[in-house]
Amino acid sequence: MAWSAGPARRRRGRCRYGGQRPAATTHLTGPTRAAAWRNILFWGLVAAADKAIPPALQRWEYDRANMRGQVEVRGASHSVMVSHPGAVEKLIQTADRAMR
């Protein structure tokens, strides 16, 4: 069984693992009908230890979308909200202040 929660407790990882579908290459290659990132300002968080979406791909997608800011969290897994909630909260607060 693969664990996506990284350093988070196994119990939490089991819960999230059971509720997610496996990633597929079609998620990255399928057509987009309307790209919201063209009109919405956003900030990005790169989970540097993500095994589902490679960090290089995350950076490339953020750069392509002209994001306002980017934070990279070393050691963060795909479930960065669970393993590094403080970094996620800080990014949200930064974006909130910038939009006021």
Side-chain angles (χ1 to χ4, degrees):
M1 176 183 282
W3 294 97
S4 64
R9 286 190 235 142
R10 286 190 178 272
R11 186 170 50 105
R12 286 185 187 168
R14 284 188 193 109
C15 175
R16 281 166 181 73
Y17 180 83
Q20 293 182 352
R21 295 181 309 176
T25 56
T26 55
H27 295 160
L28 304 174
T29 59
T32 301
R33 294 186 181 140
W37 54 263
R38 293 180 190 240
N39 302 315
I40 297 173
L41 301 176
F42 74 98
W43 286 253
L45 190 145
V46 175
D50 195 334
K51 292 185 168 113
I53 304 172
L57 178 58
Q58 294 175 53
R59 288 185 211 97
W60 177 81
E61 289 174 342
Y62 290 148
D63 290 342
R64 182 182 87 167
N66 296 318
M67 69 177 169
R68 297 280 304 258
Q70 175 178 310
V71 174
E72 184 157 337
V73 181
R74 293 178 191 223
S77 67
H78 190 68
S79 296
V80 66
M81 302 77 73
V82 174
S83 63
H84 294 79
V88 175
E89 179 182 11
K90 186 176 178 181
L91 179 62
I92 291 169
Q93 290 171 346
T94 299
D96 179 57
R97 281 191 300 274
M99 295 301 294
R100 292 178 186 249

